[in-house]
Amino acid sequence: MNILILGSGGREHAISWKLAQSPKLTKLFIAPGNAGTEELGENVDLSVSNFDGIAKFSLENKVEMIVVGPEVPLVQGIHDFFEEKEELKHIHIIGPKKLGAQLEGSKKFSKEFMQRHNIPTARYKAFTAQTLEDGFAFLETLNPPFVLKADGLAAGKGVVIPDNLADAKKELTDMLANSKFGAASQEVVIEEFLNGIELSVFVLTDGENYKVLPTAKDYKRIGEGDKGLNTGGMGAISPVPFATKEFLDKVEEQIVKPSVNGLKKDNIDYVGFLFIGLMNVCGDPFVIEYNVRMGDPETEVVIPRIESDLVEVFTAVGNKTLNEIEFKVTDQTVCTVMAVSGGYPESYEKLKVIEGIEGIDESVVFHAGTKVLDGKIVTNGGRVLAISSFGANKKEALDKSYASLNKIGFEKMYYRTDIGFDLQ
Ligand code: AMP
Ligand code: GLY
């Protein structure tokens, strides 16, 4: 089977790495890809939003399946685009259609979905510039801190959590009246603050059946001890030790089943990953958010733990026969530590030569922001490499990733040395 993966991060390299292990794979294409994916398949110089270009390429190269990494093409309707055209509709798209992608594309849509299907989540209300005063009144009924979420996609920056009422009102005004996040904050969801510890659960569904993938916890802040600015993610661990069987049974009964059934009841034909961001509040799970794709860097710990053939798994998703396959996951722990460009997540320099990757044998080096320039691998983004390692436990896995990082270098490389610090 010929498969095209859309995206260019560590997530897409990890998916490519796993697909490339399958005897069922014929040719792998990655658009646009990075220096890591180039070693596993053919990078194609196409943007993930260039649907016409992707369609033409897919027909010319007999692509039978497209795995969509990031959310943007899903929210823009790539699945609908392929399904609506006679000559393209045989190509399986792993990723939901436009309507399902609204679970990530609109916070309000996702809160309404959860409310409609009795899925535990924080109490909320949504406001626009016209109802700003009502927003102030709602804030006054809540206890600090306050959670304000821009309704639309804001590249992971649309959630603000002020710790006092005055700041919360100012923030709400900035978002609604002063377009702080542009069109994304034309509407704002205000919700109760949930006190607990976060984790992510991933589900793969064919619209009828589902498989729950390994859990993961990511580390979003740039600084040690979870301090400083938010990033795309600085590291991750799977499994999450506090996600006990009892807790995961609650997640499956109270959240996964009602989510998959809710999509069916609402006639939302959903094929692909559902990433459920959860808060564990005293042993009970609450949904913080849905994403309609895999997480990054969570993919770099979740995918390596899957033992089943991923081409077979995705084929079953496309054929709606996910119930017929056995889904195997290793008990081993996998961690990943991100090496980022100095200055990230603010401004940083690119095109720094990366040394030492070829000498790594205890870890898998997933590329994120990298490319090949004059025969050398150079940095090409904020998050540069995700160093993933297996271990019998968290410590063993982390020790390997940190030992590997000691052998890798580029000018101004930075990484957190405390990934997993809050876990047993
Ligand atoms: P989101 O983009 O919805 O995942 O929100 C970004 C981050 O804000 C989450 O990862 C949480 O750390 C935090 N957050 C979002 N909603 C809440 C909430 N209701 N209570 C506490 N923290 C939250
Ligand atoms: N690591 C969080 C995300 O991918 O959204």
Side-chain angles (χ1 to χ4, degrees):
M1 174 179 279
N2 291 348
I3 302 182
L4 168 64
I5 301 181
L6 299 183
S8 61
R11 169 180 51 208
E12 289 76 19
H13 187 189
I15 294 172
S16 304
W17 171 83
K18 182 71 186 165
L19 291 174
Q21 293 167 21
S22 169
K24 298 205 156 62
L25 181 78
T26 314
K27 278 200 87 175
L28 186 64
F29 303 101
I30 311 95
N34 60 34
T37 61
E38 206 170 311
E39 289 169 16
L40 299 168
E42 184 183 324
N43 282 355
V44 184
D45 189 15
L46 279 173
S47 131
V48 299
S49 299
N50 178 358
F51 297 174
D52 285 321
I54 293 168
K56 185 164 176 282
F57 179 87
S58 298
L59 290 174
E60 282 168 5
N61 292 279
K62 301 194 168 45
V63 168
E64 290 152 271
M65 178 185 289
I66 301 180
V67 182
V68 186
E71 64 279 13
V72 170
L74 295 169
V75 173
Q76 289 170 339
I78 190 162
H79 193 150
D80 313 62
F81 180 93
F82 272 72
E83 196 170 89
E84 283 156 12
K85 298 197 174 46
E86 201 53 43
E87 70 280 17
L88 297 172
K89 70 179 190 201
H90 66 282
I91 300 176
H92 287 312
I93 308 285
I94 307 299
K97 292 189 200 150
K98 201 168 183 170
L99 185 57
Q102 284 301 299
L103 283 181
E104 176 163 2
S106 164
K107 299 279 186 201
K108 187 179 168 203
F109 179 93
S110 86
K111 295 296 285 192
E112 286 172 350
F113 175 85
M114 288 184 253
Q115 208 170 38
R116 192 159 58 244
H117 301 294
N118 290 316
I119 295 164
T121 188
R123 195 165 61 94
Y124 82 103
K125 280 197 171 146
F127 301 94
T128 61
Q130 285 69 45
T131 55
L132 183 59
E133 292 294 327
D134 300 335
F136 290 166
F138 184 61
L139 283 170
E140 283 164 16
T141 69
L142 300 173
N143 295 318
F146 303 90
V147 182
L148 278 61
K149 301 184 172 182
D151 178 59
L153 288 184
K157 298 191 172 68
V159 177
V160 191
I161 309 190
D163 57 13
N164 67 70
L165 187 60
D167 286 353
K169 287 185 175 174
K170 183 173 176 308
E171 194 60 51
L172 186 65
T173 311
D174 279 351
M175 286 165 94
L176 288 176
N178 306 332
S179 305
K180 177 169 175 182
F181 298 107
S185 65
Q186 269 170 6
E187 199 149 10
V188 171
V189 164
I190 302 179
E191 66 179 41
E192 257 174 351
F193 184 82
L194 297 170
N195 222 331
I197 179 157
E198 281 183 70
L199 75 155
S200 302
V201 172
F202 303 90
V203 176
L204 182 61
T205 178
D206 60 13
E208 291 292 330
N209 315 285
Y210 67 85
K211 299 284 181 197
V212 180
L213 310 186
T215 55
K217 185 170 195 311
D218 79 335
Y219 292 82
K220 291 199 176 85
R221 302 295 189 98
I222 188 74
E224 315 230 315
D226 283 342
K227 302 269 161 39
L229 294 175
N230 252 322
T231 71
M234 296 295 293
I237 295 194
S238 176
V240 180
F242 64 80
T244 58
K245 172 155 189 337
E246 189 194 353
F247 180 76
L248 289 177
D249 285 346
K250 283 189 194 172
V251 171
E252 186 156 0
E253 288 306 316
Q254 297 172 16
I255 292 170
V256 176
K257 283 185 187 165
S259 297
V260 174
N261 290 334
L263 288 164
K264 272 196 268 183
K265 280 187 202 153
D266 291 350
N267 281 322
I268 299 174
D269 178 23
Y270 195 105
V271 173
F273 292 103
L274 183 63
F275 163 160
I276 311 176
L278 293 174
M279 191 73 87
N280 175 344
V281 183
C282 304
D284 285 317
F286 287 79
V287 178
I288 294 180
E289 64 165 349
Y290 288 114
N291 292 310
V292 298
R293 52 173 174 87
M294 282 298 289
D296 193 348
E298 292 92 330
T299 308
E300 291 94 303
V301 295
V302 169
I303 290 286
R305 291 192 59 220
I306 298 175
E307 291 179 330
S308 307
D309 181 316
L310 197 58
V311 175
E312 269 177 35
V313 174
F314 283 161
T315 303
V317 170
N319 292 334
K320 296 198 187 294
T321 54
L322 204 47
N323 55 324
E324 290 172 17
I325 62 156
E326 199 192 357
F327 187 68
K328 280 212 220 139
V329 168
T330 173
D331 287 339
Q332 287 206 298
T333 293
V334 178
C335 74
T336 198
V337 181
M338 272 281 174
V340 305
S341 299
Y344 172 79
E346 295 181 283
S347 62
Y348 55 83
E349 292 166 22
K350 292 186 187 175
L351 307 184
K352 307 290 181 196
V353 175
I354 306 170
E355 315 261 16
I357 296 178
E358 36 326 301
I360 304 301
D361 46 21
E362 281 201 318
S363 307
V364 188
V365 178
F366 291 123
H367 292 230
T370 68
K371 68 173 184 180
V372 178
L373 186 69
D374 301 332
K376 293 196 172 111
I377 298 174
V378 299
T379 66
N380 189 37
R383 294 192 296 166
V384 177
L385 299 170
I387 315 297
S388 295
S389 312
F390 288 85
N393 52 44
K394 182 189 80 165
K395 182 175 183 308
E396 216 179 278
L398 282 165
D399 283 350
K400 287 186 196 166
S401 285
Y402 286 121
S404 298
L405 273 160
N406 264 331
K407 300 179 191 158
I408 296 175
F410 54 87
E411 199 186 312
K412 297 192 185 152
M413 176 172 106
Y414 167 78
Y415 57 88
R416 273 180 63 169
T417 63
D418 68 341
I419 297 304
F421 76 99
D422 55 345
L423 300 176
Q424 294 281 310

